[in-house]
């Protein structure tokens, strides 16, 4: 059976409902792999916060915050005089982000369920905004960028992190193509809105930022090798948390799904090194600034 995501119009409520359900299911798994994700994305996350203008005392909006790993990085940087609002479509993952912030002792972090295309926050109420590996899941990313711009004060900064082109992210390409073939689904255009690699086409996100009204737009490509002890650690991460892949395989019976996982493992073995496993990834950090009010 084709998935709801496959069948739903991207503008339809069914797309969002399916996305929410997928991430509610994957929430515990994503949270359980926080240490690996943190180590993988530490450098790019610090760069994202710097490029957004996250600083001591700032009010920061985190869109599609997941279990809040980058929320806590921003919270550390703004300090107790600042404030970070973590928002996400999935109630289950928001609950985990809230618990993580509480355990870290960050009283200046709030976590709230909100669609990135309709944040429900006051206009011009944030100094900076970040969005790590989330914007590509929005069916209308331009609407999301306009909504973030509305939430930022004049002169406020946004930095987003997304995956770049398919050929620069070969593990994701292997996972996606293998899963689709085993599920009997046709190959997907990776640049269709709402998909994992949908914002990776060079120049596309810069154009969206400008259309949303951001100035000083610039994109930096960063290599982010995912280093793990073995291919099985990577597969465990994917099986626990990679909601787009889990969703494609969701319609298969157990034996057919295992055959797909087996072929993925075989192909991903290509990235085994003498010291472990190193999956290449390339990320795009795109930054822009809201125009300052003219005097
Ligand atoms: C790959 S996870 C990234 C989570 C977190 N930013 C991180 O880097 O650890 C993608 C997140 O996007 C969220 N998401 C998907 N569609 C969304 C939407 N329309 N609005 C807000 N969040 C959304 C999912 O619920 C999920 O938590």
């Amino acid at each position: 059976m084709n998935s709801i995501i496959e069948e739903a119009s991207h503008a339809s409520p069914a797309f969002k409902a399916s996305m929410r359900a997928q991430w509610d299911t994957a929430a515990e798994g994503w949270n359980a792999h926080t240490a690996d994700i943190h180590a993988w994305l530490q450098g790019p996350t610090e760069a994202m916060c710097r490029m957004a203008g996250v600083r001591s005392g700032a009010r920061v909006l985190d869109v599609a915050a997941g279990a809040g790993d980058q929320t806590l990085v921003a919270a550390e940087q703004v300090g107790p005089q600042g404030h970070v609002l973590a928002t996400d479509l999935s109630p289950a993952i928001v609950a985990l982000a809230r618990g993580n912030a509480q355990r870290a002792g960050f009283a200046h972090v709030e976590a709230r369920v909100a669609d990135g295309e309709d944040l429900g926050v006051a206009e011009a109420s944030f100094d900076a905004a970040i969005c790590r590996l989330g914007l590509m899941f929005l069916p209308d990313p331009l609407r999301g960028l306009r909504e973030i711009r509305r939430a930022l004060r004049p002169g406020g900064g946004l930095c987003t992190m997304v995956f770049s082109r398919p050929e620069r992210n070969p593990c994701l390409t292997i996972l996606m193509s293998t899963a689709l073939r085993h599920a009997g689904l046709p190959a997907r255009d990776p640049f269709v809105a709402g998909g994992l690699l949908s914002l990776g086409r060079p120049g596309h996100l810069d154009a969206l930022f400008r259309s949303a009204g951001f100035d000083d737009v610039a994109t930096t490509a960063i290599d982010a090798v995912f280093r793990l002890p073995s291919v099985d650690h990577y597969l465990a991460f994917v099986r626990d948390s990679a909601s787009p892949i889990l969703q494609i395989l969701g319609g298969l019976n157990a034996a057919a799904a295992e055959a797909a996982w087996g072929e993925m493992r075989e192909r991903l073995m290509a990235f085994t090194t003498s010291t472990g496993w190193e999956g290449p990834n390339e990320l795009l950090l795109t930054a822009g600034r809201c125009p300052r009010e003219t005097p």
Side-chain angles (χ1 to χ4, degrees):
M1 193 191 76
N2 277 10
S3 62
I4 296 173
I5 284 274
E6 191 76 7
E7 291 167 349
S9 149
H10 280 54
S12 76
F15 180 90
K16 289 270 174 71
S18 173
M19 184 70 78
R20 182 183 293 110
Q22 280 177 48
W23 282 100
D24 276 348
T25 304
E28 287 285 353
W30 187 264
N31 188 49
H33 288 273
T34 293
D36 290 335
I37 296 167
H38 183 87
W40 170 36
L41 298 178
Q42 185 168 15
T45 300
E46 281 164 10
M48 175 182 70
C49 289
R50 198 169 50 247
M51 289 162 75
V54 174
R55 57 177 64 86
S56 177
R59 285 181 55 81
V60 177
L61 171 65
D62 187 356
V63 176
D69 177 54
Q70 73 292 311
T71 312
L72 301 192
V73 173
E76 186 75 50
Q77 294 183 1
V78 302
Q81 304 309 316
H83 182 80
V84 184
L85 175 63
T87 61
D88 197 281
L89 187 65
S90 152
I93 217 161
V94 166
L96 292 164
R98 189 175 295 124
N100 290 335
Q102 278 165 0
R103 266 187 298 284
F106 288 145
H108 58 296
V109 173
E110 189 189 342
R112 198 188 288 172
V113 176
D115 182 348
E117 295 177 0
D118 184 11
L119 290 162
V121 298
E123 196 171 324
S125 53
F126 292 92
D127 302 303
I130 54 176
C131 181
R132 189 179 87 175
L133 299 185
L135 191 67
M136 65 274 190
F137 291 123
L138 270 52
D140 188 347
L142 177 57
R143 189 168 159 204
L145 290 172
R146 287 191 170 126
E147 180 64 348
I148 295 171
R149 203 203 132 186
R150 190 188 64 75
L152 286 170
R153 63 161 173 78
L158 164 66
C159 187
T160 64
M161 181 193 298
V162 300
F163 292 108
S164 75
R165 290 170 295 156
E167 57 273 29
R168 306 287 294 168
N169 294 282
C171 301
L172 299 183
T173 310
I174 287 171
L175 292 170
M176 191 60 84
S177 62
T178 311
L180 285 170
R181 190 162 31 74
H182 280 260
L185 295 170
R188 281 184 192 166
D189 174 351
F191 301 128
V192 169
L196 192 57
L197 298 169
S198 58
L199 294 176
R201 199 170 49 211
H204 180 53
L205 199 41
D206 298 58
L208 291 180
F209 264 62
R210 289 194 193 96
S211 297
F214 286 97
D215 286 345
D216 304 330
V217 177
T219 289
T220 308
I222 304 192
D223 275 324
V225 179
F226 204 163
R227 291 190 173 82
L228 289 167
S230 73
V231 68
D232 290 315
H233 285 78
Y234 182 63
L235 267 188
F237 161 70
V238 175
R239 293 185 72 145
D240 289 345
S241 71
S243 100
I245 308 298
L246 301 177
Q247 192 260 344
I248 292 169
L249 296 180
L252 298 183
N253 66 38
E258 277 315 309
W261 290 117
E263 185 183 330
M264 287 179 205
R265 183 179 188 281
E266 196 79 1
R267 295 179 69 189
L268 291 165
M269 286 282 282
F271 304 104
T272 298
T273 66
S274 56
T275 52
W277 185 88
E278 298 189 359
N281 287 279
E282 187 182 72
L283 305 170
L284 301 179
L285 291 184
T286 304
R289 198 150 299 287
C290 287
R292 291 182 191 282
E293 272 165 338
T294 42

